[in-house]
């Protein structure tokens, strides 16, 4: 269990609702509120960063530079890409990749690692991968964690949500289209899509290779009805993600 400070980010108030604690005070910088408190016995700074990669990158830089966070966690919701997963399932990212940074070529879009010139001949291995020992620690910490069944009112049956470790992709678009969902799954083999994690990973890597764990519960399946599902399932998905986040926080 680490006693260093963990930076905890969410994009939306619903996502931070079950985590935030400001017993240690509140500081506002650039219109962003940073709340100092504790998560699972570990000192933490909580921030609602807003939606999208730039917002996430700004908040991450402050968490590292002003608050000296030694680890980072994002807790929130995502769209599911893997057809084997359903609403309520949780994905812990073993890699975070920006699916919209790259080159638009005659034969399609090619993703590159953020910051490199996206040109032919430049080596491509996009994505920020977690160190294997960290993944092992997280798997051990998550062992035996039973997620609560979703209420019947959610309308996905009495299925108990499951926890997965896998790839998460990030871009500055809400995915509300079956063809895009299929392409992102096919091209990147990712399990979930969201709008911040890849930016947190980029800044964490750039500012000292700080460990970052992305915890996402699926609020929708990124297809034609994802705008409706997102609204309906955001509160319950945010709650499920926060249960997993509490379990993993001491181990990052
Ligand atoms: N976050 C939650 N659902 C999402 C979706 N369908 N696309 C992008 N980000 C999301």
């Amino acid at each position: 269990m680490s006693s260093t400070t963990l930076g905890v980010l969410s994009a939306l108030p619903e996502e931070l609702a079950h985590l935030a604690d400001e017993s240690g005070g509140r500081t506002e910088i650039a219109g962003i509120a940073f709340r100092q408190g504790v998560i699972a016995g570990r000192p933490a700074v909580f921030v609602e960063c807003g939606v999208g990669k730039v917002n996430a990158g700004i908040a991450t830089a402050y968490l590292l530079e002003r608050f000296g966070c030694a680890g980072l966690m994002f807790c929130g919701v995502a769209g599911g890409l893997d057809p084997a997963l359903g609403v309520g399932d949780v994905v812990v990212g073993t890699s975070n990749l920006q699916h919209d940074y790259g080159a638009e070529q005659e034969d399609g879009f090619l993703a590159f690692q953020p910051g490199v010139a996206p040109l032919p001949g430049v080596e491509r291995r996009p994505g920020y991968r977690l160190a294997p020992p960290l993944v092992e620690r997280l798997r051990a910490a998550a062992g035996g964690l039973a997620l609560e069944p979703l209420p019947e009112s959610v309308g996905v049956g009495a299925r108990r949500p499951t926890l997965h470790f896998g790839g998460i992709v990030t871009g500055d678009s809400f995915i509300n289209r079956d063809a895009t969902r299929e392409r992102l799954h096919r091209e990147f083999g990712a399990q979930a899509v969201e709008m911040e994690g890849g930016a947190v990973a980029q800044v964490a890597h750039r500012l000292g290779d700080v460990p970052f764990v992305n915890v996402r519960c699926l609020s929708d399946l990124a297809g034609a009805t994802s705008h409706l599902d997102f609204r309906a399932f955001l509160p319950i998905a945010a709650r499920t993600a926060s249960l997993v986040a509490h379990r993993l926080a001491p181990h990052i």
Side-chain angles (χ1 to χ4, degrees):
M1 150 114 178
S2 175
S3 57
T4 57
T5 302
L6 182 69
V8 180
L9 303 101
S10 293
L12 302 170
E14 292 86 346
E15 294 173 315
L16 205 56
H18 306 281
L19 298 165
D21 162 25
E22 58 180 66
S23 52
R26 179 188 164 106
T27 313
E28 204 157 309
I29 309 168
I32 310 167
F34 294 84
R35 305 187 224 177
Q36 285 164 271
V38 174
I39 183 167
R42 181 175 181 181
V45 182
F46 301 90
V47 59
E48 179 196 316
C49 66
V51 176
K53 300 206 303 285
V54 173
N55 280 330
I58 292 169
T60 303
Y62 282 126
L63 285 172
L64 298 178
E65 293 296 301
R66 294 271 184 104
F67 294 94
C69 293
L72 295 163
M73 176 169 66
F74 198 106
C75 179
V77 302
L81 297 177
D82 184 340
L85 305 189
V87 166
D89 288 341
V90 175
V91 179
V92 177
T94 51
S95 73
N96 296 280
L97 183 153
Q98 294 182 22
H99 68 75
D100 58 355
Y101 183 93
E104 196 66 65
Q105 305 188 148
E106 284 302 334
D107 54 355
F109 180 79
L110 262 190
F112 281 70
Q113 190 73 325
V116 307
L119 294 170
V122 174
E123 200 200 328
R124 283 190 340 104
R125 198 173 172 248
Y128 299 93
R129 283 157 274 274
L130 269 65
L134 173 57
V135 177
E136 283 320 304
R137 279 204 309 279
L138 298 173
R139 282 187 188 279
L145 177 62
L147 300 176
E148 289 171 16
L150 300 175
E152 284 292 332
S153 56
V154 166
V156 292
R159 201 174 57 86
R160 191 182 272 277
T162 49
L163 178 63
H164 304 262
F165 286 80
I168 298 180
V169 293
T170 300
D172 278 319
S173 310
F174 181 82
I175 308 301
N176 196 180
R177 185 171 185 242
D178 290 318
T180 308
R181 173 213 169 133
E182 282 156 23
R183 179 180 65 79
L184 292 175
H185 183 244
R186 188 177 61 246
E187 280 182 15
F188 302 112
Q191 293 190 320
V193 60
E194 38 81 321
M195 300 177 68
E196 297 83 22
V200 178
Q202 180 182 356
V203 176
H205 174 68
R206 182 76 186 263
L207 300 184
D209 228 350
V210 176
F212 164 54
V213 176
N214 196 4
V215 179
R216 300 280 183 161
C217 180
L218 305 186
S219 54
D220 60 83
L221 300 179
T225 63
S226 67
H227 58 309
L228 302 174
D229 298 336
F230 175 84
R231 283 188 201 285
F233 303 139
L234 169 64
I236 183 75
R239 195 178 121 76
T240 303
S242 74
L243 295 177
V244 177
H246 274 101
R247 177 68 83 99
L248 301 184
H251 305 279
I252 298 169

